[in-house]
Amino acid sequence: LFAISVLACSGGGDPAPTPTPPTPTVNVADLVKKVWTVSSAQWDGVTKFDKSSTSNSVQGYSQYKLDLSTTGSVRLTEFDGKVFTGSYSVSTDGKTLTLSSLTSAEGAPTGTGGTITFTILSTPTATTLSLQQTAAYVKASSAIVRLALVNP
């Protein structure tokens, strides 16, 4: 009888709860490591290009390409068709993308000294990246450029 009562008392409770696994840390540097094209571009809040529109005031964004597919190396094709190569880095907090040492046969992008810095506006996904330049860009009529990028 003693053995039966011990067994009856010890096996009736809920099993130990399964611990919740930790949420994986998002590595923005890995998420941006793709070739990006422009879905839309704004200068100081005014839409200059929308991929779905046929009447864009800056058609050149259809050729814009930000190639971050090789860790640390960037190839930037600007809206005016000029191609620049250099290096890139993502800040440790995942909020800033810096393109540096940008150069071409004609030199650095106008007015940048070879460096363009973007604020990453939201956590990138497999197909979207939202950026805003941290300083006005001479090539964009000295406006702040905001880009919605896609990786098709």
Side-chain angles (χ1 to χ4, degrees):
L1 269 173
F2 177 72
I4 292 173
S5 71
V6 168
L7 289 174
C9 291
S10 66
D14 290 333
T18 305
T20 304
T23 303
T25 304
V26 176
N27 186 340
V28 173
D30 288 339
L31 293 173
V32 302
K33 198 174 157 186
K34 297 177 171 53
V35 178
W36 301 97
T37 59
V38 175
S39 174
S40 68
Q42 295 180 346
W43 295 359
D44 285 341
V46 177
T47 300
K48 297 293 185 172
F49 177 85
D50 186 314
K51 188 177 186 176
S52 63
S53 176
T54 56
S55 59
N56 290 301
S57 59
V58 184
Q59 287 291 340
Y61 276 110
S62 63
Q63 65 187 343
Y64 184 100
K65 192 178 290 184
L66 180 60
D67 184 346
L68 305 173
S69 61
T70 303
T71 301
S73 295
V74 62
R75 180 178 172 91
L76 172 65
T77 304
E78 276 280 18
F79 66 88
D80 60 3
K82 293 184 179 173
V83 179
F84 302 92
T85 57
S87 57
Y88 80 90
S89 62
V90 175
S91 62
T92 55
D93 66 2
K95 305 251 185 236
T96 305
L97 170 67
T98 303
L99 312 182
S100 54
S101 303
L102 292 172
T103 189
S104 71
E106 301 167 2
T110 305
T112 66
T115 300
I116 300 174
T117 304
F118 294 97
T119 299
I120 300 171
L121 299 173
S122 60
T123 303
T125 69
T127 58
T128 63
L129 174 61
S130 295
L131 302 174
Q132 181 170 300
Q133 283 186 262
T134 59
Y137 192 29
V138 172
K139 288 172 103 173
S141 299
S142 296
I144 298 290
V145 176
R146 185 176 190 152
L147 301 170
L149 304 175
V150 292
N151 174 256

